Each structure stands twice: as C-alpha cells, then as structure tokens.
Amino acid sequence: DAGVTQSPTHLIKTRGQQVTLRCSPISGHKSVSWYQQVLGQGPQFIFQYYEKEERGRGNFPDRFSARQFPNYSSELNVNALLLGDSALYLCASSFYARDQPQHFGDGTRLSIL
Amino acid sequence: AQSVTQLDSQVPVFEEAPVELRCNYSSSVSVYLFWYVQYPNQGLQLLLKYLSGSTLVKGINGFEAEFNKSQTSFHLRKPSVHISDTAEYFCAVSEYGNKLVFGAGTILRVKS
C-alpha cells in the first residue's frame, strides 16, 4: 500500500510569491495534518483537516491556509512568502481526527530566495 | 500548554555500545507519547508509541522506551547501536490524540 505522498519534493520560490503544496493520505485515512520543520528544529503543527473541515490550527499567520478535498487529499497554501518560510513541510495522515499514531510523508523542501 | 524537552542535542556513541536519548514532557492531562526517527532528506518514521498500558514500550529496530509518569519522562534506549542508527530522533507528545508537539530533536552519531 502506498504511504503518504507529497508533491513536489523540492521547490524554490522568491520572496512575495505564493506556493501550493499537495498531500495524498494513506488510502482510507480521513485526517490530514500539516507540519513545518525549520532546519535544526522539531516539526511544528500548522493545520489539521478531517472530513474536509478544519479541526485545528497552530500559531501561524493568516498567510498560511489549507483545504481538504472529497478524496481526502489536501493542499497547503502560503502567500506572500518570507525568507523565514524556508522549511521542510510535512504532511501526516490518520484514520480519524484523534487517531494516533500519525503517518508522515517525506515532505516538501521549500526554499525562499 | 504541553511541551517537550529533549535534553541532548547530539549524542555520539561507538558502534555496539548502548545508548539512551532523554525526553521530558509537560502536560496537565493524560498524554500519548512517541518517538520518531528522521534520516537525511526523509520524513518521520515512527519508532514506538505509548498510548496506555505497560510503561515499557518496544519498537522497531531494537529500540525501547519507558514511560515514567512521576518524572514525566519517556527516554529512548537501545542496548547495542549500529552505524545505520545514525539519524535524528524526535520525541513527541499528544494530548487526547490531538496535534503532535515535538521536541527539538537529538542527533545520534554512531562511530565505528
């Protein structure tokens, strides 16, 4: 069975641009969470979506947004990119909203120039 | 608010030696606890989890961890490490199965 898949694997953007990252959860999983991992730090929670509804939001500015589609895949959007947005963005999925453990994808490496 | 402290940023150890990676957490409620491993340019792989029951938890690749509620600790141990265990290890806590809160990570460097 395929694990959590994320695309693209790498992305280079410039300050002020907008970016969309994509995530496909494990088949049957209805919950998707997004985490940001800045170099040298642990991942930080950004969003959780379950059944297409937002179930949790971390301490991130409104430039960050996300959505979940009927097939449970998800997109993370970041507007007005800043240098500090350079990070590995990880997607994790689980069957239910409070189901543990979560299963992680390999992430999207976003570099801002 | 919950938080996780990984007491060592880097742990060097010789191959076949034992290792302990320390993790302390703070939370006012019951928690689930996890250890994840991250190899270079990869995502997070679950090593082991504590949800309830026995406080000694066994995971993959010969790792184990012990949940100590009184000391709010969840230290990771392996009796004999291999070169292939070189990676970064993250301790994480979840209250009621909600979002994961991670520590800053411990880099395990296994030397031959």
Side-chain angles (χ1 to χ4, degrees), chain B residues 34-55:
Chain B
F34 307 86
W35 276 97
Y36 284 87
V37 60
Q38 187 174 39
Y39 299 100
N41 300 314
Q42 292 187 24
L44 300 173
Q45 179 183 4
L46 181 70
L47 274 179
L48 47 79
K49 62 185 183 290
Y50 172 79
L51 303 182
S52 65
S54 172
T55 57

Side-chain angles (χ1 to χ4, degrees), chain B residues 2 8 18 29 31 35 38 40-41 48 57 72 83-84 87 91-92 94-95 100-101:
Chain B
Q2 52 190 319
D8 306 292
V29 300
V31 295
W35 276 97
Q38 187 174 39
N41 300 314
L48 47 79
V57 179
T72 59
I83 294 287
S84 59
C91 180
S94 170
E95 291 181 344
L100 290 167
V101 174

Side-chain angles (χ1 to χ4, degrees), chain A residues 29-30 51-52 67-74:
Chain A
H29 285 193
K30 300 179 180 180
E51 292 280 19
K52 295 174 289 181
R67 56 179 175 167
Q68 186 177 33
F69 298 98
N71 66 353
Y72 304 113
S73 67
S74 177

Side-chain angles (χ1 to χ4, degrees), chain A:
Chain A
D1 284 343
V4 177
T5 57
Q6 293 186 242
S7 63
T9 54
H10 295 86
L11 205 50
I12 299 174
K13 292 285 188 178
T14 57
R15 282 176 293 176
Q17 285 189 310
Q18 174 266 340
V19 69
T20 298
L21 311 181
R22 295 176 176 83
C23 171
S24 293
I26 291 172
S27 177
H29 285 193
K30 300 179 180 180
S31 173
V32 170
S33 296
W34 288 94
Y35 292 81
Q36 181 197 61
Q37 185 180 16
V38 172
L39 194 64
Q41 298 181 20
Q44 281 200 299
F45 173 74
I46 311 175
F47 285 111
Q48 182 188 34
Y49 275 77
Y50 177 70
E51 292 280 19
K52 295 174 289 181
E53 291 192 2
E54 183 182 301
R55 295 295 293 267
R57 173 185 286 254
N59 188 24
F60 281 81
D62 292 343
R63 299 184 295 107
F64 288 76
S65 63
R67 56 179 175 167
Q68 186 177 33
F69 298 98
N71 66 353
Y72 304 113
S73 67
S74 177
E75 286 182 351
L76 175 69
N77 296 286
V78 187
N79 294 322
L81 287 166
L82 303 173
L83 292 178
D85 296 330
S86 294
L88 179 68
Y89 289 85
L90 295 163
C91 174
S93 76
S94 57
F95 279 110
Y96 305 114
R98 291 190 173 184
D99 195 27
Q100 295 287 355
Q102 298 177 22
H103 301 265
F104 284 83
D106 282 340
T108 294
R109 174 74 62 188
L110 176 62
S111 300
I112 311 301
L113 303 179

Side-chain angles (χ1 to χ4, degrees), chain B residues 51-72:
Chain B
L51 303 182
S52 65
S54 172
T55 57
L56 182 62
V57 179
K58 293 191 182 297
I60 62 171
N61 301 340
F63 284 93
E64 65 180 31
E66 185 155 19
F67 170 53
N68 187 320
K69 188 174 182 179
S70 63
Q71 308 222 351
T72 59

Side-chain angles (χ1 to χ4, degrees), chain B:
Chain B
Q2 52 190 319
S3 66
V4 176
T5 301
Q6 292 186 240
L7 295 157
D8 306 292
S9 59
Q10 292 198 35
V11 173
V13 63
F14 283 103
E15 195 173 17
E16 297 184 7
V19 70
E20 178 180 82
L21 306 184
R22 298 179 292 168
C23 172
N24 286 93
Y25 69 93
S26 68
S27 174
S28 57
V29 300
S30 294
V31 295
Y32 301 151
L33 294 158
F34 307 86
W35 276 97
Y36 284 87
V37 60
Q38 187 174 39
Y39 299 100
N41 300 314
Q42 292 187 24
L44 300 173
Q45 179 183 4
L46 181 70
L47 274 179
L48 47 79
K49 62 185 183 290
Y50 172 79
L51 303 182
S52 65
S54 172
T55 57
L56 182 62
V57 179
K58 293 191 182 297
I60 62 171
N61 301 340
F63 284 93
E64 65 180 31
E66 185 155 19
F67 170 53
N68 187 320
K69 188 174 182 179
S70 63
Q71 308 222 351
T72 59
S73 67
F74 191 56
H75 300 332
L76 181 70
R77 301 184 183 99
K78 186 170 183 178
S80 176
V81 295
H82 303 287
I83 294 287
S84 59
D85 292 323
T86 295
E88 189 159 19
Y89 293 78
F90 292 94
C91 180
V93 62
S94 170
E95 291 181 344
Y96 300 126
N98 286 326
K99 65 176 184 179
L100 290 167
V101 174
F102 288 86
T106 298
I107 295 174
L108 175 63
R109 297 191 190 280
V110 181
K111 302 178 287 185
S112 58

